[in-house]
Amino acid sequence: MGVTGHREQVLVTRRLTPGTLDRLTARHRVELHDSDTVMPRDLLLRAVRGKAAALTTLDDRVDEEFLAAAGPGLRIVANHAVGLHNIDREACAARGVQVTNTPGVLTESTADLTMALLLGAARRIGEGERTVRSGTPWNWAPDFLLGLELSGARLGILGMGAIGRAVARRAHGFGLRIGYHNRTPLPEEQSAGAPWRPLEQLLAESTLLVVSCPLTGQTRGLLGARRLALLPAGAVLVSITAGVVDEDALAAALGSGALLAAAVDHHTREPAVNQALLAQERALLTPHLGSATTHTRRAMGALAVDNVLAALDGRRPPSAA
Ligand code: GLV
């Protein structure tokens, strides 16, 4: 256990918002990968050696190799994300390494972005903007770029966690009729007034679908061609979780006209974007902007720093799982 006041070695794998690391550098010896790009693997494995803490992002794979490179002094991996799919949690637990994420602070910003994507895809904002910007001749016409009206439509939320609930709260304001699916139905007071549905029923009922469940062994590839085909004709799908929707199958469903439109913010092989999706005009594709507000990114950084400081002081980190 760390002695309060002792300066420990900490690795931070990405440049954070200005000032975020001040409380950490005041107390500990911080090695910062001072860059906006992913730390190359060989550099990461060298840099983590002998560290007591690592503040990581979703792009840093924390596995046996990483833990072995770090050595026995590593006490915490503080992920700068709500997701933890880059981290082998069992391997960390086996070595007594704590793992933390940044829940809560990014809920509202991510729900805002999800609504933006829902509106953007349903109203074909990407296509419209590209039409204007490309100089393609256009004029108002009764059937020009017709989209899907939200008011009165059925919205399915696959993954009614904190973000799903925040989306549901917003969606009520747009007059959407909401249902959700989680592995286990939630107590009524936690379901934002939405009824639970079995997955396949939810898909069959949802003209709009938001995919907001975490990526786990159970959810990886959950929505492939067969399940996507259950959505009503002309449905709109929004995905804010990488790896749950099969991107090739989604592109095929757009290409065949089975779906009206889709939006994807978090991509399976980031920063690469699925080529088949790129070829679809009706795919609204954003570069992982879910939590990208100044307010939220500061809060995520502050929470990740709080988690590191607590672990190095021998206290329970605020977002210990
Ligand atoms: C995704 O962006 C996350 O924070 O998990």
Side-chain angles (χ1 to χ4, degrees), residues 152-164:
R154 283 184 185 274
L155 168 68
I157 298 180
L158 176 54
M160 190 66 107
I163 296 169

Side-chain angles (χ1 to χ4, degrees), residues 58 80-83 106 266 288 291 300:
L58 284 177
H80 186 281
V82 69
L106 47 68
H266 191 175
H288 200 157
S291 62
M300 289 169 72

